[in-house]
């Protein structure tokens, strides 16, 4: 099982980025995929997650109305679309896979990608 996150970079406040998470070794038919972020000196926090079977999504309050999650089963890829980015969104973003039905509770996620840096700054 491997997860490969990409798409991070430097963006100005108010800008957008789309992160991709490509899964290999398993399909996006069961369990859930979540996006988490970790800023320097802070704990890892859940951002968004999607239940692979039901499509139900789970949002952190801080990203509601700005971030969306979607998946393409044919490409075995989950996307995190980030709009209206703020400096406080700056962090390393990780995608992770869970065998559970979906949540933002990171102990439920057993497989993690390597992370991609997102920096929001003018």
């Amino acid at each position: 099982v491997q997860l490969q996150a990409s798409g991070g970079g430097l963006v100005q406040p108010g800008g957008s980025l789309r992160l991709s998470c490509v899964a290999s070794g398993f399909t996006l038919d069961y369990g859930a995929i979540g996006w988490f972020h970790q800023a320097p000196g802070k704990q890892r926090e859940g951002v968004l997650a999607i239940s692979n079977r039901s499509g139900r999504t789970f949002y952190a309050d801080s990203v509601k109305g700005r971030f969306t999650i979607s998946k393409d089963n044919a490409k075995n890829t989950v996307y995190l679309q980030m709009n209206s980015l703020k400096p406080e969104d700056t962090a390393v973003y990780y995608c992770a896979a869970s065998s559970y039905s979906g949540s933002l509770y990171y102990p439920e996620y057993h497989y993690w990608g390597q992370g991609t840096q997102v920096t929001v700054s003018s």
Side-chain angles (χ1 to χ4, degrees):
V1 174
Q2 285 191 329
L3 297 165
Q4 181 75 34
S6 62
L10 173 63
V11 63
Q12 292 187 341
S16 298
L17 280 175
R18 189 178 79 159
L19 306 184
S20 300
C21 176
V22 180
S24 59
F26 69 101
T27 62
L28 300 181
D29 296 322
Y30 301 98
I33 297 292
W35 285 97
F36 297 78
H37 68 193
Q38 187 166 19
K42 295 188 177 182
Q43 290 188 332
R44 191 169 297 188
E45 298 179 330
V47 177
L48 268 171
I50 185 166
S51 171
N52 288 329
R53 179 168 285 184
S54 69
R56 182 184 175 188
T57 53
F58 306 82
Y59 288 80
D61 288 342
S62 61
V63 304
K64 285 180 180 177
R66 300 190 299 124
F67 291 10
T68 57
I69 189 171
S70 61
K71 67 188 184 90
D72 184 334
N73 284 358
K75 295 182 178 179
N76 229 33
T77 300
V78 176
Y79 302 100
L80 178 64
Q81 178 67 43
M82 305 187 295
N83 299 327
S84 302
L85 281 161
K86 304 176 181 180
E88 51 263 43
D89 296 320
T90 295
V92 177
Y93 282 72
Y94 300 88
C95 62
S98 167
S99 59
Y100 295 94
S101 58
S103 74
L104 297 180
Y105 186 51
Y106 73 84
E108 291 187 358
Y109 291 80
H110 305 297
Y111 302 101
W112 292 81
Q114 83 288 3
T116 184
Q117 176 70 46
V118 171
T119 303
V120 184
S121 175
S122 56

